[in-house]
C-alpha cells in the first residue's frame, strides 16, 4: 500500500480495520485529532484527493494510491500559510485550538456556494470553546489582531503566542509526541451501580498475546483520596481508592490491562473474569437521604471528611440571617417553587488522558491533559510515597477543560502501571468513557421561597438546595457551598436562610464545571425573583435593580461572610443599564406569524478566585539576546492566560510580546502553581507575572545604573535596551556584563490569591416561541460583562461568547441521561447534542468601564461567569413570551410544547395584586 501524505510517500500496510486517522498519527501527522472516533466532531478532517473526509470513519486501506493532505500540508513548501490559515490567525478563530485543524480543512475545501451557507457547511464540525463567532469571522476574512508595539500591550487585541502552531497543526497536545516502547492501557469498567468484587481472575487476560499486566484492587495502594484537585486537599472528601473492591456506579474502573496495543488491551479486558456480589443501589438524592437507604460510603466521617456517611450526605450548609418567618409574614407577595437542573458533560474535544514514563534520571514523568499539573504531582507523591523531586508532571497544550480537568482521573492509574512495569504507558479515554468514566456538572434541586413588599423591596429569601454528587464526593461539598454563596449575597434582603446538601448516589460522579454550582442555583433564584416581580406588577429588571447590592454593601450569605472577599470595583449598575437599553430597542418584524415574543434578563456575581488561597509563582529573566523568558505554572486550555501573561510582562518590561518567551504547565519550570481553575489565570497567575516583571524591571535599572555609574533616576527601560544620559545600553550587553560578575538578571513574583474581588454579568434575550412545536428561536442576545480592566478585548469577548454558547447548550438541549439502572444512555455526541454552528446566535458583548483595586492592572475574571446568567435569562424570556414558568432544564422542544399544551387546557390561577 502506498499513500502520499503532504508530499511524502508512506508505504506501510495499515493494521486490519485501521482508520485513516490512526494511520496518519502513527506516522507523526499529529495535526489530525481525535475528538470522537464516530464522525461527529470533525476534528480529524483531512483531504483525500482534495475532498474533505472524517478520517476516523475512513478506512486506511481506501487511501491506497491516493493523495492525503492534513493541516500540516496546507501551507506551501516554502512555509507560506494557506489563505485560510492566515485568516484564522488574523481573526484569532480559535481558543483551545483542538478543533481548529478540522475547521481549517473543512473551510479550505468549501466552494463559493458553500461559503454562503456556513450552518450547513459546518454541520460536521464542533467547537466547544469559541461560540463560533470567531470562526465565522475567520472564514469571512475579518481581522481582529493588532500589531504589537513596545510598552503598549495591555488592553489591546494581541494574538495568542501559539497561534501559528495551532493553525499549522504543530501545537503539541497531550499525545502529540512520540514515545519509544509505548504500552497502551485500557480499563475494565463495572456493569453494576453497586457491587462488591468477591473474586477476580486475570489469568485468561494475561495469556492474550501482547498483554504485559492486569492491575486490580490487589495492586492498588490502600489509601483513600479525592480525585478533586484543590490547594487544600484536606477540605475534600477522601472517599476514592485507585482501584476498589467495591464499585459504586456503572462505569467505575475495575481493572487496568496494559499491552503492546490498544487492541490487545481491549481483548485483555474482555478476558478478565469478575465475580460480583450485587448490592442495593440508590439513584435519587432525596431517597438517598431517607432512613434505610443503601449507604454509598460507609466510612469514618472524620477520617473520610464526610458529613454524615450513613445518611449519604457528604457535605451540608445551614444558616440564617435575621428571621425568615418574620420576613415572609411582612411580605405582600410570597412565591415558592422548586427548580431542577440536569447533568451536563464538559465535552472538551480532547478527552482525558495521560502518558507516563521513567526518565533518564529515574524520575516518574507524567504528561497529562490537566488544569492542575502541580496539584496532580502532589497527589501522586502522596499516593505512592514519592518525594516531589522524583515526580514531574507536564501539561502540554490542553484541548479544553471547563473544570473537567481539575480532577485526577487518569494520572494515578497510569503512574501505577509505569512504576510497576518501568515502561512508558498511555491511557486515552474514548468519547464514551468521557460520559461514564469522567465527571459531569452537578444536578441540582433548588426549592426557593421569596417575599417582597409592594414597594419592590425583598423581605425574605430562603433556599433548600440538594446537589447530587454521584458516587464520589470529588468537588461536591465545595460546589454546594459556592452555589449558595454569591447567589444569595448579590441581593439585599434582611432575612435569608439556606439549607444545602451534597448527596451521594450510585451514579456517575459529578465534578467541577464552569460556574461551580452558581449557574444551577442562579437559575432558580433569578427565575423566582423574575416571577415575584411579575406577581407584584413590577418590571423584573427594575425590581432586581432595587435589590442588588451596591459598592459599599457587605456581601452577606447565610453561610457567613468571607473576610477576604470584597467589591473592589463595581459595574453591576452599568450591566443593568446595558440590558435596559437593549430592551428599549424595537422588536424586528421578522418574527413568524403566530409565534410568541418575549424578553428576559438575569444577573450574576462571582468571586474572582476560590476561598482559602490560590498560589501562583512566576519567574522573569533576561535571555542572552536581550529578549525575555517568563516561566509561569498555569495551564493553557483556551482560557487565553498565556496571551495575557505575555501582555502584562511586555508592558512592564517596555518590550513587545514577541520578545517574551513563555514556559508553563511543567512542574520543573517554577516552584508552584495551584492551577488554572476558579477564574484565576489572569487575577492570580497574572498578578504573579506582574510582580515578577516589575521586579525584573527594577533589577535591570538598578544593575544598569551601577554598571554605568549613573543615577538610577537617569535610567529608563525601553525595547531591548536601557536609556541613560550617555546613550543606549542594549540588554544583551547588560546580560553579558551581569554574567561576567556572577549576577543573574532574573526575578520572581508570587501571589497567594487573597484578597479577592467579585465580577458581575448580565444576560438579556429576546426570543420567539412557536406554540405549535415548542421551538425557541433567539432573536437577540446581549451580554454585559464587568471584567474590570480588560487585558485583551478580542480574547475576553471570545470567553464571553464561548460561555454563552456552552450555557445555551445546557439550557436548550444538553442532558446526560441515565436509565433505570443508573447507566449513561447518552455516551456519544450523536446522542448527546452539543451546540452546532447553526444553533448559536451572535451575542452582543459589552464590557463595563471599571478598574479593580485588587486584580492585576485593574483586571477581574471572566472565564466562568458568562455562563451563569444565561439559563435563567432565557427561561425568563420564555416565561415573558408564553406566560408559562419553566422550572426544569433543559428547555427542549417537547418539554416546552407539553407545557404550553397543558397551559392551554388548564386555566391559570389569578395573578396576585
Amino acid at each position: 500500500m502506498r499513500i502520499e501524505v503532504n508530499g511524502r510517500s508512506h508505504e506501510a500496510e495499515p493494521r486490519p480495520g485501521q482508520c485513516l486517522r490512526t494511520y496518519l498519527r502513527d506516522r507523526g501527522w499529529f495535526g489530525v485529532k481525535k475528538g470522537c472516533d464516530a464522525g461527529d466532531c470533525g476534528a480529524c478532517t483531512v483531504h483525500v484527493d482534495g475532498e474533505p473526509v472524517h478520517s476516523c470513519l475512513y478506512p486506511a486501506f481506501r487511501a491506497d494510491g491516493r493523495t492525503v493532505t492534513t493541516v500540516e500540508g496546507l501551507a506551501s513548501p516554502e512555509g507560506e500559510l494557506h489563505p485560510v490559515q492566515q485568516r484564522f490567525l488574523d481573526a484569532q478563530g480559535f481558543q483551545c485550538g483542538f478543533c481548529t485543524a478540522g475547521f481549517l480543512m473543512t473551510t479550505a475545501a468549501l466552494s463559493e456556494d458553500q461559503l454562503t451557507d456556513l450552518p450547513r457547511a459546518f454541520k460536521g464540525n464542533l467547537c466547544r470553546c469559541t461560540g463560533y463567532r470567531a470562526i465565522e469571522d475567520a472564514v469571512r476574512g475579518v481581522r481582529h489582531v493588532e500589531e504589537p508595539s513596545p510598552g503598549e500591550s495591555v488592553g489591546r487585541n494581541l494574538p495568542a503566542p501559539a497561534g501559528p502552531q495551532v493553525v499549522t497543526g504543530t501545537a503539541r497536545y497531550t499525545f502529540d509526541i512520540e514515545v519509544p516502547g509505548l504500552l497502551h492501557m485500557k480499563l475494565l469498567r463495572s456493569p453494576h451501580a453497586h457491587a462488591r468484587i468477591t473474586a477476580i481472575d486475570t489469568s485468561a487476560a494475561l495469556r492474550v498475546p501482547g498483554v504485559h499486566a492486569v492491575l486490580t484492587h490487589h495492586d492498588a495502594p490502600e489509601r483513600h483520596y479525592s480525585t478533586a484537585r484543590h490547594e487544600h486537599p484536606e477540605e475534600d472528601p477522601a472517599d476514592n481508592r485507585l482501584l476498589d473492591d467495591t464499585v459504586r456506579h456503572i462505569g467505575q474502573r475495575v481493572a487496568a490491562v496494559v499491552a503492546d496495543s490498544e487492541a490487545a488491551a481491549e481483548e485483555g479486558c474482555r478476558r478478565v473474569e469478575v465475580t460480583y456480589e450485587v448490592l442495593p443501589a440508590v439513584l435519587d438524592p432525596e431517597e438517598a437521604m431517607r432512613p434505610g437507604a443503601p449507604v454509598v460510603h460507609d466510612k469514618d466521617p472524620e477520617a473520610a471528611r464526610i458529613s454524615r456517611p450513613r445518611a449519604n450526605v457528604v457535605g451540608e450548609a445551614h444558616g440564617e440571617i435575621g428571621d425568615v418567618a418574620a420576613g415572609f409574614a411582612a411580605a405582600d407577595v410570597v412565591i415558592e417553587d422548586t427548580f431542577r437542573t440536569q447533568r451536563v458533560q464538559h465535552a472538551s474535544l480532547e478527552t482525558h488522558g495521560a502518558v507516563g514514563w521513567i526518565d533518564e534520571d529515574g524520575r516518574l514523568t507524567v504528561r497529562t491533559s490537566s488544569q492542575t499539573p502541580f496539584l496532580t504531582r502532589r497527589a501522586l507523591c502522596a499516593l505512592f510515597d514519592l518525594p516531589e523531586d522524583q515526580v514531574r508532571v507536564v501539561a502540554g497544550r490542553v484541548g479544553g477543560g471547563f473544570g473537567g480537568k481539575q480532577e485526577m482521573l487518569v494520572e494515578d492509574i497510569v503512574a501505577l502501571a509505569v512504576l510497576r512495569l518501568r515502561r512508558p504507558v498511555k491511557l486515552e479515554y474514548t468519547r464514551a468513557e468521557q460520559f461514564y468514566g469522567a465527571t459531569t456538572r452537578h444536578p441540582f434541586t433548588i426549592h426557593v421561597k421569596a417575599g417582597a413588599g409592594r414597594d419592590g423591596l425583598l423581605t425574605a429569601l430562603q433556599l433548600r438546595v440538594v446537589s447530587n454528587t454521584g458516587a464520589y464526593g470529588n468537588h461536591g461539598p465545595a460546589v454546594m457551598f459556592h452555589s449558595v454563596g454569591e447567589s444569595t449575597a448579590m441581593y439585599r434582603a434582611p432575612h435569608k436562610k439556606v439549607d444545602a446538601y451534597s448527596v451521594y448516589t450510585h451514579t456517575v460522579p459529578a465534578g467541577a464545571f464552569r460556574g461551580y454550582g452558581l449557574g444551577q442555583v442562579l437559575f432558580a433564584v433569578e427565575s423566582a425573583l423574575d416571577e415575584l416581580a411579575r406577581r407584584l406588577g413590577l418590571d423584573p429588571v427594575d425590581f432586581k435593580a432595587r435589590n442588588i447590592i451596591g459598592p459599599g454593601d457587605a456581601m452577606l450569605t447565610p453561610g457567613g461572610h468571607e473576610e477576604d472577599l470584597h467589591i473592589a470595583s463595581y459595574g453591576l449598575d452599568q450591566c443593568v443599564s446595558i440590558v435596559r437599553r437593549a430592551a428599549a430597542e424595537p422588536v424586528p418584524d421578522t418574527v413568524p406569524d403566530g409565534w410568541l415574543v418575549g424578553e428576559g434578563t438575569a444577573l450574576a456575581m462571582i468571586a474572582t478566585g476560590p476561598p482559602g488561597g490560590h498560589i501562583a509563582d512566576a519567574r522573569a529573566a533576561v535571555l542572552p539576546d536581550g529578549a525575555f523568558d517568563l516561566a509561569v505554572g498555569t495551564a493553557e486550555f483556551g482560557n487565553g492566560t498565556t496571551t495575557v501573561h505575555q501582555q502584562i510582562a511586555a508592558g512592564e518590561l517596555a518590550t513587545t510580546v514577541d520578545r517574551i518567551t513563555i514556559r508553563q504547565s511543567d512542574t520543573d519550570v517554577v516552584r508552584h502553581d495551584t492551577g488554572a481553575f476558579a477564574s484565576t489565570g489572569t487575577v492570580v497567575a497574572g498578578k504573579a507575572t506582574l510582580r515578577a516583571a516589575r521586579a525584573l524591571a527594577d533589577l535591570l535599572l538598578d544593575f544598569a545604573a551601577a554598571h554605568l555609574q549613573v543615577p538610577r533616576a537617569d535610567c529608563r527601560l525601553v525595547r531591548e535596551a536601557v536609556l541613560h544620559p550617555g546613550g543606549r545600553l542594549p540588554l544583551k550587553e547588560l546580560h553579558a556584563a551581569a554574567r561576567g560578575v556572577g549576577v543573574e538578571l532574573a526575578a520572581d513574583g508570587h501571589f497567594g490569591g487573597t484578597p479577592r474581588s467579585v465580577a458581575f454579568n448580565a444576560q438579556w434575550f429576546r426570543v420567539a416561541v412557536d406554540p405549535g412545536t415548542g421551538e425557541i428561536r433567539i432573536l437577540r442576545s446581549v451580554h454585559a460583562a464587568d471584567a474590570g480592566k480588560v487585558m485583551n478585548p478580542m480574547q475576553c469577548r471570545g470567553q464571553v461568547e464561548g460561555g454563552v454558547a456552552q450555557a445555551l447548550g445546557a439550557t436548550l438541549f444538553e442532558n446526560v441521561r441515565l436509565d433505570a439502572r443508573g447507566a449513561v444512555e447518552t455516551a456519544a455526541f450523536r446522542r448527546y447534542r452539543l451546540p452546532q454552528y447553526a444553533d448559536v446566535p451572535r451575542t452582543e458583548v459589552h464590557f463595563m468601564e471599571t478598574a479593580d483595586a485588587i486584580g492585576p492592572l485593574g483586571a477581574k475574571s471572566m472565564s466562568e461567569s458568562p455562563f451563569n446568567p444565561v439559563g435563567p435569562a432565557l427561561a425568563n424570556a420564555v416565561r415573558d413570551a408564553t406566560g408559562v414558568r419553566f422550572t426544569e432544564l433543559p428547555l427542549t422542544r417537547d418539554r416546552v410544547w407539553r407545557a404550553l399544551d397543558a397551559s392551554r387546557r388548564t386555566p391559570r390561577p389569578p395573578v396576585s395584586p
Side-chain angles (χ1 to χ4, degrees):
M1 173 172 163
R2 189 171 185 272
I3 305 176
E4 184 180 287
V5 182
N6 301 329
R8 299 184 197 174
S9 179
H10 296 274
E11 297 187 1
E13 290 294 319
R15 297 187 298 272
Q18 186 174 27
C19 69
L20 183 58
R21 183 191 70 81
T22 58
Y23 183 90
L24 293 170
R25 287 186 60 84
D26 285 349
R27 278 139 195 88
W29 302 109
F30 294 128
V32 185
K33 302 300 184 205
K34 169 189 172 179
C36 64
D37 271 344
D40 295 331
C41 75
C44 68
T45 304
V46 301
H47 295 173
V48 177
D49 289 342
E51 292 296 320
V53 302
H54 287 178
S55 61
C56 68
L57 298 181
Y58 194 96
F61 77 87
R62 286 185 56 192
D64 186 17
R66 299 179 183 272
T67 298
V68 175
T69 305
T70 73
V71 67
E72 293 97 329
L74 274 186
S76 71
E78 296 74 30
E80 183 179 353
L81 294 181
H82 187 283
V84 170
Q85 291 172 311
Q86 188 61 56
R87 290 201 294 270
F88 269 74
L89 265 186
D90 291 342
Q92 294 287 281
F94 52 85
Q95 285 183 29
C96 85
F98 200 80
C99 70
T100 305
F103 274 98
L104 286 165
M105 300 308 293
T106 298
T107 304
L110 295 179
S111 67
E112 289 298 322
D113 286 344
Q114 290 171 321
L115 285 169
T116 64
D117 189 1
L118 290 183
R120 183 177 182 86
F122 286 145
K123 196 172 182 180
N125 292 83
L126 292 174
C127 175
R128 190 57 157 169
C129 296
T130 65
Y132 298 103
R133 188 274 313 161
I135 293 173
E136 180 182 351
D137 284 356
V139 175
R140 303 299 186 203
V142 178
R143 180 181 174 87
H144 293 297
V145 299
E146 301 177 46
E147 294 298 324
S149 57
E152 298 178 2
S153 297
V154 169
R156 302 184 62 216
N157 294 332
L158 299 183
Q165 289 76 42
V166 168
V167 301
T168 56
T170 55
R172 290 295 175 248
Y173 296 80
T174 306
F175 297 115
D176 296 343
I177 58 171
E178 295 182 12
V179 182
L182 185 64
L183 301 177
H184 299 267
M185 177 186 289
K186 286 293 181 180
L187 300 175
L188 175 67
R189 297 184 178 275
S190 169
H192 304 294
H194 192 200
R196 185 176 295 111
I197 298 172
T198 58
I200 186 163
D201 185 352
T202 63
S203 56
L206 289 168
R207 290 195 296 270
V208 173
V211 170
H212 290 258
V214 181
L215 304 173
T216 71
H217 63 272
H218 298 295
D219 304 289
E222 293 288 343
R223 290 183 176 88
H224 285 84
Y225 55 95
S226 173
T227 63
R229 301 270 57 82
H230 286 114
E231 181 61 37
H232 305 289
E234 65 277 2
E235 297 176 358
D236 298 318
D239 56 10
N240 184 79
R241 190 179 168 209
L242 196 152
L243 288 167
D244 207 333
D245 59 355
T246 299
V247 292
R248 297 177 175 87
H249 71 95
I250 294 174
Q252 180 171 330
R253 60 193 188 194
V254 171
V257 178
V258 185
D260 290 329
S261 66
E262 290 189 7
E266 288 172 350
E267 181 60 25
C269 286
R270 286 189 283 269
R271 301 284 185 91
V272 176
E273 298 179 8
V274 185
T275 303
Y276 295 97
E277 176 192 353
V278 179
L279 302 172
V282 59
L283 307 183
D284 179 82
E286 292 285 1
E287 292 180 9
M289 288 191 288
R290 293 183 183 132
V295 175
V296 181
H297 288 278
D298 192 2
K299 292 179 170 63
D300 176 71
E302 185 173 348
R305 303 187 289 272
I306 299 171
S307 179
R308 288 184 287 136
R310 300 292 301 177
N312 291 317
V313 176
V314 61
E316 54 192 315
H318 306 281
E320 185 171 6
I321 297 171
D323 183 346
V324 293
F328 290 125
D332 293 309
V333 175
V334 175
I335 64 120
E336 192 170 2
D337 215 332
T338 300
F339 297 81
R340 293 179 175 83
T341 65
Q342 78 283 25
R343 288 177 180 83
V344 177
Q345 232 294 316
H346 304 80
S348 52
L349 287 197
E350 182 191 38
T351 61
H352 281 79
V355 56
W357 63 87
I358 303 296
D359 69 13
E360 60 274 10
D361 296 320
R363 299 193 308 163
L364 171 65
T365 300
V366 179
R367 181 179 172 90
T368 176
S369 182
S370 172
Q371 297 173 226
T372 58
F374 285 84
L375 299 188
T376 298
R377 178 183 66 172
R378 178 191 288 171
L380 292 176
C381 290
L383 184 58
F384 296 109
D385 292 318
L386 296 171
E388 283 197 352
D389 62 0
Q390 289 301 302
V391 179
R392 179 186 184 188
V393 176
V394 181
R397 190 171 179 88
V398 177
F402 317 112
K405 293 174 181 175
Q406 192 195 339
E407 304 269 357
M408 186 173 69
L409 299 178
V410 293
E411 299 90 346
D412 51 357
I413 191 71
V414 168
L416 177 66
V418 171
L419 294 170
R420 176 65 58 88
L421 297 172
R422 316 300 289 186
R423 291 274 305 274
V425 176
K426 168 188 173 182
L427 171 62
E428 183 178 14
Y429 271 16
T430 64
R431 180 52 58 187
E433 285 180 300
Q434 285 294 114
F435 282 93
Y436 52 69
T439 59
T440 72
R441 188 185 190 218
H442 286 80
F444 268 65
T445 300
I446 310 104
H447 187 81
V448 184
K449 187 176 182 181
R454 289 192 177 88
D455 58 0
L457 296 179
L458 285 170
T459 60
L461 178 63
Q462 183 173 355
L463 302 179
R464 182 183 183 273
V465 173
V466 176
S467 168
N468 184 351
T469 195
Y472 291 90
N474 300 18
H475 295 263
V479 165
M480 178 269 300
F481 280 115
H482 189 242
S483 73
V484 297
E486 292 96 284
S487 60
T488 56
M490 187 171 64
Y491 288 102
R492 294 190 302 262
H495 309 286
K496 299 178 183 178
K497 185 177 181 180
V498 163
D499 292 287
Y501 307 87
S502 178
V503 184
Y504 286 124
T505 59
H506 291 106
T507 60
V508 58
F513 190 102
R514 200 174 201 164
Y516 214 64
L518 272 180
Q520 294 95 310
V521 174
L522 279 171
F523 168 61
V525 171
E526 289 292 300
S527 296
L529 296 186
D530 183 273
E531 192 65 32
L532 181 57
R534 294 175 189 278
R535 298 289 178 90
L536 286 163
L538 300 175
D539 175 80
V541 176
D542 290 342
F543 173 71
K544 291 177 181 180
R546 293 184 199 183
N547 290 283
I548 55 176
I549 59 172
D553 293 342
M555 290 176 285
L556 299 178
T557 74
H561 176 60
E562 296 172 3
E563 294 299 326
D564 73 332
L565 189 60
H566 308 278
I567 302 176
S569 63
Y570 186 80
L572 186 53
D573 53 348
Q574 296 179 49
C575 292
V576 171
S577 296
I578 291 292
V579 299
R580 279 178 168 153
R581 189 187 313 156
E585 295 177 9
V587 180
D589 57 5
T590 56
V591 179
D593 290 341
W595 288 50
L596 309 172
V597 177
E599 300 169 359
T601 301
L603 311 178
M605 177 177 75
I606 191 171
T608 58
H614 190 106
I615 294 170
D617 290 289
R619 184 171 179 82
V622 180
L623 296 171
D625 66 350
F628 297 92
D629 175 83
L630 176 64
V632 59
T634 190
E636 174 63 62
F637 56 100
N639 47 0
T641 55
T642 306
T643 316
V644 168
H645 297 157
Q646 204 178 43
Q647 290 179 263
I648 291 172
E652 295 300 313
L653 295 168
T655 188
T656 51
V657 291
D658 57 298
R659 298 292 286 170
I660 306 284
T661 299
I662 294 189
R663 294 179 294 128
Q664 62 189 145
S665 310
D666 185 336
T667 58
D668 276 7
V669 168
V670 292
R671 291 192 306 274
H672 182 74
D673 188 280
T674 299
F677 64 89
S679 305
T680 57
T682 293
V683 296
V684 178
K687 195 152 188 173
T689 293
L690 176 67
R691 289 176 173 177
R694 280 183 177 171
L696 178 58
D698 286 340
L699 177 60
L700 290 173
L701 293 174
D702 287 341
F703 184 81
H707 175 69
L708 296 166
Q709 297 185 338
V710 299
R712 155 75 187 261
D714 292 341
C715 296
R716 184 164 63 91
L717 192 61
V718 296
R719 189 175 189 266
E720 300 184 30
V722 173
L723 289 183
H724 58 93
R728 185 175 184 274
L729 176 63
L731 290 184
K732 62 182 178 181
E733 294 183 16
L734 192 66
H735 180 276
R739 186 170 55 185
V741 295
V743 173
E744 184 183 12
L745 296 179
D748 295 318
H750 172 85
F751 185 51
T754 185
R756 302 175 295 146
S757 186
V758 290
F760 299 100
N761 296 76
Q763 175 69 44
W764 177 86
F765 286 111
R766 179 178 286 134
V767 304
V769 182
D770 181 0
T773 66
E775 179 185 348
I776 299 171
R777 186 175 299 176
I778 297 172
L779 304 177
R780 191 178 175 197
S781 170
V782 176
H783 193 99
D786 174 22
K789 171 65 176 178
V790 179
M791 300 284 99
N792 188 311
M794 168 184 64
Q795 217 173 236
C796 196
R797 177 187 174 192
Q799 288 292 304
V800 173
E801 292 169 333
V804 171
Q806 193 173 42
L808 282 173
T811 303
L812 290 172
F813 35 75
E814 292 186 48
N815 188 6
V816 178
R817 296 194 304 270
L818 307 184
D819 66 15
R821 301 179 306 117
V824 175
E825 294 183 312
T826 51
F829 281 158
R830 63 186 57 192
R831 293 196 294 273
Y832 177 85
R833 185 183 167 193
L834 287 177
Q836 295 179 309
Y837 180 96
D839 296 317
V840 181
R842 282 217 172 196
T843 292
E844 303 164 32
V845 178
H846 301 266
F847 292 117
M848 305 304 99
E849 296 182 2
T850 61
D852 201 68
I854 294 175
L857 304 175
K860 295 196 285 193
S861 63
M862 200 45 58
S863 57
E864 291 183 271
S865 55
F867 186 105
N868 295 328
V870 171
L874 191 64
N876 290 339
V878 173
R879 162 67 173 89
D880 188 51
T882 65
V884 177
R885 171 61 61 189
F886 288 86
T887 60
E888 186 172 354
L889 297 180
L891 301 179
T892 55
R893 279 191 185 189
D894 56 339
R895 179 171 286 163
V896 172
W897 180 86
R898 285 197 299 268
L900 295 183
D901 183 62
S903 71
R904 286 189 288 265
R905 292 183 283 105
T906 304
R908 289 180 55 80
V911 175
S912 301

